[in-house]
Amino acid sequence: MPMTGTYDLRLVALSVVIAIFASYAALDLAGRVTATQGRSRRFWLLGGATAMGLGIWSMHYIGMLAFSMPMKMSYDLPTVFISLLAAVAASAVALFTVSRRRMGNWQLTVGSIVMGSGIASMHYIGMAAMRVSAVIHYDARLVSASIVLAVIISLVALVLAFQVREEQRTSLRKILSALVMGSAIPVMHYTGMWAASFTHSDRPVNLTHAVSISSIGIVAIAASSLLVLTLIMVSSFLDRLLSAQRALADVAREGERYFRTLADAIPQIIWTTSPDGRFDFYNKRWFDYTSRAAEAENVAGLQAALHPEDLAASTQRWQHAIATGAAYEGEYRLQRAVDGAYRWHLVRAVPVHDSAGKVVKWFGTCTDIEDQKRNQQHLEQEVRERTAELLEANTRLTAEMQERERTQKELDLQHAKLVAELTERSKLSTLLTRMGELLQSCGTVQEAFSIVLGFAAKMFPDLGGALILLNASRNLLEVAGSWGDCQLAAEVFEPNACWALRVGRPYLLEAGDRSAQCAHVQGLQGSSLCIPMQAQGDALGVLHFQAGNRSHNLSEQELTLAGTFAEQIGLSLANIRLREALRSQSIRDSVTGLFNRRYLEETMEREVHRAARTGQSLGVIMLDLDHFKRFNDTFGHEAGDFVLHNMGVFFAKHTRADDIACRYGGEEFVLILPNASVEATQARAEQLRVGARELSFTHRGSALGTVTISVGVAAFPVHGPSPKQLLAAADTALYEAKKGGRDRVVVAEASQAAISAVAGDNI
Ligand code: GH3
Ligand code: MG
Ligand code: MG
């Protein structure tokens, strides 16, 4: 009949605790095996497998011992050890599988099956070690289930171990994994127990190597397995710690080696000092540069090579850096041993701090900047030179531009001045032309003078001036007119008073010059100019200009214009003179200077009309030289002309300005006396007759004797209404005078018609 057993729950709990502990140890050891190589690895693989196997096995056995039946239970010792070996083997497979670099599906599958089979073997071998008076039957399905469970647990254990193997410290994941694994192993164990059933048997039990386990035994198994597990875990921890320190030391050594290699490779001087500034390292470059021996260097410091002038500054700065922990930097000269030359270096040092911020080291460098500095100086010099050149060029350009601007302004000014001058000249030229045109149409010189004065005021607005003319007898200069502000010492003066007339060309007196001042400008402060005016070689007078009291002289332009002005006047006056002469020649008789017969006829017509219009009378005297043929014959024709000329002068002199004296032909003369009655005309004729007789002529040294005249007198309106009748009446009277014995005056017989006309007028 089947037997039932009971479980001591305390022992069940102990078995679960051991399983969890063993699982944790397994995970920890997996990491150790993975981290080590060679012999260490083998040690940890074997040690780990043993401890882990022991743990699993002790869980199993305490689980077995937790089960009790009402009979004596003992265990066959050799079989128990075999089951222990199975547990160790399974553990070894597990550790090996998870400590590989990678764990593929294939490895995982094989590992799980081997490990699961191992654990299952351990369990059922353990069961076989039981020595009880009962027969054990196994439920095949539950056995199978327990084996599958063992494989699944192994699979999970391998995956979890593989994942947490790198974790050096205790982590939640590691603990959770240990709990999962540690709980699963007892589940497999108790499933295996469940598969077994016991029926009582009376067959004797072989107890040759059997032992029965007491409570103390259980404690011993549990304690020893936990102790082994603890020991191996402590060992693992210590090993991990030592490895880490070794690794750190290796890293430090490696770092030092790298640093030195790097420091020697760098083409700069590298040095380090302790926190208080004591030099403890230089790279190769320093020794090459200074040719110093490596042993002597630890104290000397950079000062050994520093330029004496840089020593104080660098020391002070270095001390400040050490005191404050601030970075150190400066440019100093270091002496190069090979040639003794001091080369500029950029010296820098930075402090290295520990995690607490304390300075633990100074790292320094000296960079040779000599070439750089020289290049920089060279560049700066170049820049300075270029800048100076540019500045100079700029200054030059500015000056040139200013010069150009000034020139341009000057040109503009000159241009404006020129334009103004041209405008002025054009204006003046127009005035000159207009004056010329007006002068052209002047009939007499007097008329021309008034035009000249008018234009002078317009053309010389800044100057005063005067037109000064020689009088008829050419012995005095008289001021004909003036313009502007003209101050003259006298209105009339002698020709000699003017230097221009004396020297026969323009005379300029500069302002303030009193050396040879013309008398007519006595007392004048400013400049003056006199230009002689001539027409056909005859001096007419002086054109005078003066600049008032202006301190400066007449300008070139004024002088030129004055010259042109005078020239124009001279030319015009010459023209007028010529025209006057031509006209005079056409109306005057050249021998006597009296009007000719043509002029008489024209004038008499006009005079008769005027007399008729005004109701005045007009006297006509016709006279003829007596026996002039005989005179000619006696004294010659030339002497006759001489007498004729003098007679002309005599008649001109003894007539009034209004009277018209003319040579009527040969040695006959006619005088027209406007506004003269018959009596007045007769009286004048008588005077002339007496005067002519008293004239005595001397020609070429010989006396020519005297000449008498016979005179016929007629008058308008008594002797006729027309010139023709009047002249005929006078001629008839003259004939009567001749007939009556010559040297007498005969008044014409008044015609009846004329008398009646006169009488009619009187009524
Ligand atoms: P009377 O009149 O008294 O009767 O005598 P007469 O001799 O003067 O008169 P007659 O008419 O015969 O002569 C005029 C003379 O006048 C002729 C001429 O010789 C002279 N005669 C006329 N014209 C000129 C002249 O221009 N020059 C000169 N020298 N003689 C002139
Ligand atoms: Mg005659
Ligand atoms: Mg006569």
Side-chain angles (χ1 to χ4, degrees), residues 615-635:
Q616 289 173 335
S617 57
L618 179 78
V620 178
I621 297 173
M622 185 177 279
L623 54 89
D624 183 287
L625 305 192
D626 297 332
H627 300 301
F628 200 58
K629 189 174 181 318
R630 203 170 60 202
F631 187 91
N632 268 330
D633 294 345
T634 312
F635 300 104

Side-chain angles (χ1 to χ4, degrees), residues 588-624:
R588 285 195 187 268
D589 168 58
S590 60
V591 177
T592 59
L594 300 178
F595 292 114
N596 58 20
R597 186 171 175 161
R598 189 162 61 84
Y599 183 80
L600 171 80
E601 284 164 356
E602 283 171 15
T603 315
M604 214 178 146
E605 193 77 33
R606 199 170 61 227
E607 291 298 327
V608 169
H609 273 103
R610 188 194 293 164
R613 197 169 61 245
T614 56
Q616 289 173 335
S617 57
L618 179 78
V620 178
I621 297 173
M622 185 177 279
L623 54 89
D624 183 287

Side-chain angles (χ1 to χ4, degrees), residues 398-474:
T398 312
E400 270 179 26
M401 277 171 69
Q402 282 171 350
E403 180 64 29
R404 270 187 204 177
E405 261 176 42
R406 211 175 54 236
T407 315
Q408 185 64 47
K409 270 187 194 162
E410 261 174 36
L411 275 174
D412 289 349
L413 271 176
Q414 281 179 8
H415 184 250
K417 216 168 126 189
L418 204 68
V419 168
E421 268 181 28
L422 281 173
T423 312
E424 182 65 21
R425 271 190 205 178
S426 153
K427 194 179 122 197
L428 293 172
S429 149
T430 311
L431 282 172
L432 264 179
T433 312
R434 274 185 56 206
M435 185 179 79
E437 284 167 4
L438 289 175
L439 288 177
Q440 279 298 322
S441 22
C442 281
T444 63
V445 174
Q446 294 304 324
E447 209 178 5
F449 288 153
S450 68
I451 289 172
V452 166
L453 285 173
F455 272 86
K458 286 183 201 162
M459 293 176 68
F460 302 94
D462 295 340
L463 300 176
L467 187 63
I468 306 167
L469 300 174
L470 275 170
N471 68 355
S473 48
R474 308 176 72 79

